[in-house]
């Protein structure tokens, strides 16, 4: 049976329909302007769309021999709360044995206490969106402290400024997004067109 992975267009339609992808004129807390904005939990609040997205991403992982050959003895790991529904969906689709998620405590990414006790399977790190890649890189470092090996890495959306591989492991994504981000209002097309800006939290 051929397992189809939806096209980038089909995934963008889901994100647009659920409000997870917005077009307009957005200003970030760091002062940057952008004509688009992603708020991924809006797509993951519906079970049906969450499932479609997670299953699609899981299929990309299953194509990797290093992953498929180790299932179900695999751990799916989320760098933050945003990736938790992705991690549960991917775990479910792959029937992977373990799931973990990191959180920010006092500005530092870490796992809950005692998680390092016991054996951690080879890991797939998944997130809802990869902007700079920093969250995933920090999580790779965390995974090493658990003594586990990273065998896969991916996100529903990957910004084109993010790396496409980490330590030799290719990053899987359903959408590779061409980001438009302007420093301040000088080069912003929406400012020039007089579109009123909307402040976004992060
Ligand atoms: Zn602007």
């Amino acid at each position: 049976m051929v397992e189809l992975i939806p096209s980038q267009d089909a995934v963008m339609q889901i994100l647009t329909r659920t409000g997870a992808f917005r077009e307009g004129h957005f200003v970030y807390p760091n002062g940057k302007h952008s004509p688009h904005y992603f708020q991924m939990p809006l797509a993951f609040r519906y079970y049906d769309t969450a499932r479609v997205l997670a299953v699609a991403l899981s299929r990309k992982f299953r194509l990797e021999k290093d992953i498929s050959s180790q299932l179900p003895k695999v751990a799916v790991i989320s760098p933050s709360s945003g990736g938790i529904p992705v991690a549960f969906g991917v775990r479910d689709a792959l029937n992977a044995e373990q799931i973990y998620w990191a959180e920010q405590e006092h500005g530092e990414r870490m796992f809950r206490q005692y998680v390092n006790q016991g054996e951690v399977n080879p890991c797939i790190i998944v997130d809802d969106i990869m902007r700079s890649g920093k969250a995933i890189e920090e999580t790779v470092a965390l995974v090493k402290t658990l003594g586990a090996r990273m065998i896969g890495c991916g996100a529903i959306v990957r910004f084109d400024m993010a790396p496409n591989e980490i330590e030799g492991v290719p990053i899987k994504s359903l959408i590779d997004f061409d980001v438009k981000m302007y420093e301040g209002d000088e080069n912003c097309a929406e400012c020039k067109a007089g579109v009123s800006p909307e402040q976004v939290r992060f």
Side-chain angles (χ1 to χ4, degrees):
M1 198 182 88
V2 179
E3 291 194 322
L4 293 177
I5 296 169
S7 66
Q8 291 214 37
D9 277 354
V11 175
M12 280 311 285
Q13 277 174 27
I14 289 174
L15 299 186
T16 304
R17 194 176 73 232
T18 54
F21 174 70
R22 287 153 192 264
E23 291 176 288
H25 184 195
F26 303 96
V27 180
Y28 286 78
N30 62 9
K32 288 187 180 174
H33 289 220
S34 180
H36 43 66
Y37 185 59
F38 285 92
Q39 190 53 272
M40 298 298 286
L42 292 177
F44 280 87
R45 69 194 151 143
Y46 297 110
Y47 177 76
D48 284 351
T49 51
R51 190 159 186 282
V52 166
L53 296 172
V55 167
L57 188 59
S58 78
R59 286 176 180 163
K60 295 213 166 188
F61 290 128
R62 207 184 268 281
L63 291 172
E64 293 289 317
K65 200 147 195 319
D66 198 21
I67 294 173
S68 60
S69 64
Q70 307 213 42
L71 286 166
K73 291 219 160 288
V74 164
V76 182
I77 299 193
S78 168
S80 63
S81 60
I84 292 175
V86 188
F88 271 82
V90 168
R91 190 231 66 84
D92 203 37
L94 294 177
N95 195 28
E97 245 180 26
Q98 298 179 326
I99 188 154
Y100 297 89
W101 57 92
E103 292 162 272
Q104 301 267 17
E105 263 180 58
H106 312 296
E108 203 185 327
R109 199 174 304 277
M110 53 178 79
F111 291 117
R112 289 292 174 101
Q113 198 170 7
Y114 307 126
V115 158
N116 60 342
Q117 297 177 349
E119 194 154 333
V120 180
N121 289 336
C123 299
I124 303 174
I125 300 172
V126 296
D127 212 342
D128 54 355
I129 188 162
M130 190 183 295
R131 294 182 172 91
S132 65
K134 187 166 163 275
I136 291 210
E137 281 163 359
E138 287 176 10
T139 310
V140 170
L142 264 185
V143 161
K144 281 184 184 163
T145 68
L146 296 180
R149 189 164 76 87
M150 199 241 312
I151 55 171
C153 190
I156 306 298
V157 177
R158 186 185 73 84
F159 281 7
D160 56 0
M161 64 244 254
N164 51 25
E165 57 102 20
I166 291 182
E167 300 191 354
V169 174
I171 291 168
K172 307 289 181 186
S173 59
L174 299 182
I175 290 174
D176 289 317
F177 192 77
D178 177 18
V179 179
K180 291 186 184 65
M181 196 77 87
Y182 309 105
E183 302 282 345
D185 52 11
E186 283 185 14
N187 303 310
C188 176
E190 279 61 37
C191 278
K192 283 181 188 147
V195 181
S196 64
E198 203 169 321
Q199 200 76 38
V200 288
R201 299 214 300 274
F202 67 89

